Every structure is written in C-alpha cells, then in structure tokens.
C-alpha cells in the first residue's frame, strides 16, 4: 500500500511541477524570526591597509567608486552585509573625483577618517569630516571629491536590496564628472555634523540614566518631517559611558555598527567581538546582543527598522 501511495505522490508531484506548482506541505521556506546572516566584524587595523593598497592599484575614476564591500560571510555572492542592507568602505585620494551619478537606492555616508573631502548632492556641496553623517536620497545626483592633503575614508550604507526585490533598481550617469554645486547651508537637511551630534549625546547624559541596553542613543530624523532620513533605514548614534554593561536585547532589524570613538565589546548570539575605533560589526535580525564599554564609546549604526516599522513587522525584546 505504501509503495502505491508513494508512486501516486511521485506522479502527482511531477504533474504539478510541470505547471509551476509546489505543495505547501513540503515547503522549505523559513518560518521563524531571524535571517541567514551571521554576526561578523571588520577590524580597522585590517581593512585600512587594504583600502590604502587599493588606492595604489586603481584610481577612483577607473573604479568609479573605490569601495571594499563588507559582505556577510553567510551571504556569499550577494554583496550584502544583511539580507536588506549594503555596507562598504570607500576611499578617495587628494585631487580625485568620484564621478556624478544617481540611482534609486538611498545612501548614507559616515565619515571615518580624514578631512578635506566633500559630497555634492543635487547641487548642495557638503563638507565631510570624521563622525559626520550625510544623506543621499534615492535618485539624487551625487559626486565626491577630495581637496585635502590625505586620503579620506567613509562608510557607505545603502538599501540596495529593497530596490532589487521590487525590480526598481535604476541607475544613470551624469554628462560630466562633476555637477555644478554650491556650499550647503549650515542647516542643510543632508548633513548631520558630528560636533552637533556629540553635543546632543552629552546633553542627554546629563538629563538621566542610560538605557539599560543602548546607553544614551539618538535616532536621526529629518527636521522638516520628524521622520527617519530614509523610508527604509533608521540611523542612530549612541554613547556608552565607560564601564557600561548592557542588558541583553534583540530586535528584528538587522543593524550595521561603526565605532566612532572608544573601545569595548559586543556579544552577538554566540559570537564575542572586542571592538576599537573605526571597526564595523553587524548584528543580524533577532540575534541577542549585549554591548560593554571599556572606555567612553560612541557608536554609529543603521538598520532596516524604518521599513519594518512602516510595514508593521518590527519587534524587540529585552
């Protein structure tokens, strides 16, 4: 009897496959929180020499954007650091220009090292200084240049995966390498200088106790709308006082973290990472994480929380 049933099922499976049908009862899709991404860290002491080597081997114009992508070890071949987000470290040398283009994915920059560079976004020219966070909305013309005397490095964060999922990834080159741009105003909606952010964090620290899991944490917002700078990505800067020992916490957004100042450690799932300035680490969705500060720490992060909240998916647990 069993052999007959198995034979019938085999024929049935063949018949439905011919029509592009699949039985739900044999599904192999993930039906639990979390993703395939795994915790990982990219240490500045390792990545910086490779970036400088890349500067020797290829010009910004040849590469168009001289970027080393931070690809999650569990997502090989995708170019992504989480299933929803891209991260890369970009370097530009004195006198170089990264040519003007635009694309539908939104992009952010966190300046990691060096001064004298700028990014121009739809005619606004924004200076880039360490710790500054700049906004490049989707489909905005943008180019970068370095008028300083040393290399400048920043972290690129993009929501490329969203454009890919919806089949809406468009890209276009500008007729010239550089667009005509004027210096952005001090209150530009595209720039969040670190000096101002640091002052706000210090003000927060004087007004109360740190959050048990996050320390003192600011969430960036568009001052005109009060909403996140991007429809898909939420962006944060947090300060962990020396000696801070965070409580276990997890949430459904996958987060990319870059250490701006200080030293400490991150326990993410079963992984333990000691971190130093300019290290980048990734916290996958729904992994338990705990942060500890050996000295005062400032950490920048971005995640897909904005999209999850808009769709009603986001959850957290402490």
């Amino acid at each position: 009897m069993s052999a007959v049933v198995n034979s019938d099922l085999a024929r049935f499976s063949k018949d439905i496959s011919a029509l592009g049908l699949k039985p739900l009862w044999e599904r192999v899709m993930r039906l639990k929180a979390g993703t395939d991404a795994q915790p990982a860290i990219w240490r500045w002491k390792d990545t910086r020499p490779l970036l400088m080597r890349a500067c020797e081997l290829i010009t910004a114009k040849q590469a168009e954007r001289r970027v080393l992508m931070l690809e999650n070890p569990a997502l090989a071949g995708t170019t992504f650091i989480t299933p929803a987000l891209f991260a890369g470290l970009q370097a530009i040398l004195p006198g170089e220009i990264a040519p003007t283009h635009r694309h539908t994915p939104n992009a952010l920059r966190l300046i990691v090292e060096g001064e004298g560079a700028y990014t121009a976004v739809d005619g606004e020219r924004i200076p880039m200084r360490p710790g500054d966070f700049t906004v490049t909305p989707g489909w905005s013309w943008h180019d970068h240049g370095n008028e300083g005397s040393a290399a400048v490095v920043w972290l690129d964060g993009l929501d490329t995966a969203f454009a890919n999922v919806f089949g809406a990834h468009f890209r276009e080159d500008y007729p010239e390498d550089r667009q005509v741009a004027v210096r952005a105003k001090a209150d530009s909606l595209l720039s969040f200088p670190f000096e101002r952010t640091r002052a706000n964090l210090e003000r927060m620290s004087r007004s109360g106790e740190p959050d048990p899991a996050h320390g003192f944490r600011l969430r960036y917002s568009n001052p005109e709308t009060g909403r996140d700078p991007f429809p898909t990505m939420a962006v944060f800067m947090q300060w962990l006082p020396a000696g801070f020992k965070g409580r276990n916490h997890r949430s459904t957004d996958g987060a990319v973290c870059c250490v701006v100042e200080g030293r400490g450690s991150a326990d993410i799932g079963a992984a333990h990472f000691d971190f130093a300035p300019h290290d980048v680490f990734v916290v996958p969705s729904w992994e338990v994480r705990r942060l500890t500060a050996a000295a005062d720490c400032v950490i920048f992060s971005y995640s897909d929380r904005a999209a999850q909240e808009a769709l009603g998916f986001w959850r957290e647990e402490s």
Side-chain angles (χ1 to χ4, degrees), residues 4-111:
V4 172
V5 171
N6 287 339
S7 175
D8 288 343
L9 281 174
R11 285 196 297 272
F12 176 73
S13 178
K14 184 176 180 179
D15 290 343
I16 65 173
S17 293
L19 295 176
L21 302 171
K22 295 289 182 182
L24 176 65
W25 57 88
E26 293 181 5
R27 61 188 169 194
V28 294
M29 68 180 72
R30 186 184 188 102
L31 294 175
K32 60 181 180 179
T35 68
D36 291 334
Q38 69 182 52
I41 189 168
W42 291 263
R43 302 186 191 282
W44 184 242
K45 67 180 181 62
D46 299 323
T47 55
R48 189 185 186 283
L50 295 174
L51 273 170
M52 296 305 103
R53 180 64 174 149
C55 289
E56 297 173 1
L57 295 173
I58 188 167
T59 67
K61 188 161 188 177
Q62 287 173 324
E64 186 184 0
R65 296 291 191 269
R66 190 192 289 109
V67 177
L68 294 183
M69 299 182 296
L70 308 182
E71 184 180 75
N72 194 288
L75 303 175
T78 67
T79 75
F80 297 136
I81 193 167
T82 77
L85 300 173
F86 172 94
L89 289 168
Q90 182 167 173
I92 187 167
L93 293 176
E96 288 186 331
I97 296 171
T100 308
H101 68 195
R102 64 180 178 179
H103 40 65
T104 44
N106 298 284
L108 63 83
R109 328 280 174 198
L110 172 74
I111 317 312

Side-chain angles (χ1 to χ4, degrees), residues 181-196:
V182 297
R183 188 175 181 84
K185 297 178 181 178
D187 59 351
S188 171
L189 302 179
L190 302 176
S191 177
F192 296 85
F194 181 58
E195 181 180 1
R196 188 172 67 202

Side-chain angles (χ1 to χ4, degrees), residues 127-305:
M128 305 170 85
R129 302 183 183 92
D132 290 359
F133 156 50
T134 64
V135 176
T136 306
W139 209 236
S140 299
W141 292 113
H142 58 281
D143 58 86
H144 317 294
N146 185 350
E147 297 177 341
S149 58
V152 175
V153 178
W154 61 86
L155 174 69
D156 285 322
L158 289 88
D159 58 0
T160 312
F162 288 93
N164 291 351
V165 164
F166 293 115
H169 194 154
F170 293 89
R171 184 189 176 287
E172 184 178 0
D173 290 322
Y174 196 71
E176 306 293 335
D177 282 352
R178 188 186 319 198
Q179 63 181 297
V180 177
V182 297
R183 188 175 181 84
K185 297 178 181 178
D187 59 351
S188 171
L189 302 179
L190 302 176
S191 177
F192 296 85
F194 181 58
E195 181 180 1
R196 188 172 67 202
T197 302
R198 192 72 164 81
N200 286 333
L201 285 170
E202 291 178 359
R203 193 175 303 114
M204 277 184 74
S205 72
R206 294 193 295 269
S207 63
E209 295 298 314
D211 179 270
H214 305 297
F216 300 102
R217 186 165 74 156
L218 293 174
R219 183 171 180 172
Y220 290 97
S221 65
N222 181 317
E224 284 193 348
T225 65
R227 298 177 180 174
D228 291 293
F230 308 100
T232 50
M233 297 184 288
V235 188
F236 304 87
M237 191 79 83
Q238 66 193 109
W239 179 24
L240 310 179
F244 178 83
K245 295 182 179 179
R247 178 184 297 172
N248 282 354
H249 173 267
R250 65 178 175 176
S251 57
T252 52
D253 53 323
V256 181
C257 305
C258 182
V259 182
V260 179
E261 298 176 359
R263 296 176 180 272
S265 63
D267 290 279
I268 308 168
H272 175 87
F273 303 126
D274 292 321
F275 59 72
H278 311 328
D279 290 352
V280 179
F281 60 92
V282 59
V283 182
S285 170
W286 210 236
E287 287 281 5
V288 175
R289 77 289 306 263
R290 183 174 68 256
L291 298 176
T292 302
D296 284 351
C297 291
V298 179
I299 301 174
F300 173 89
S301 63
Y302 66 98
S303 78
D304 55 2
R305 178 171 171 174

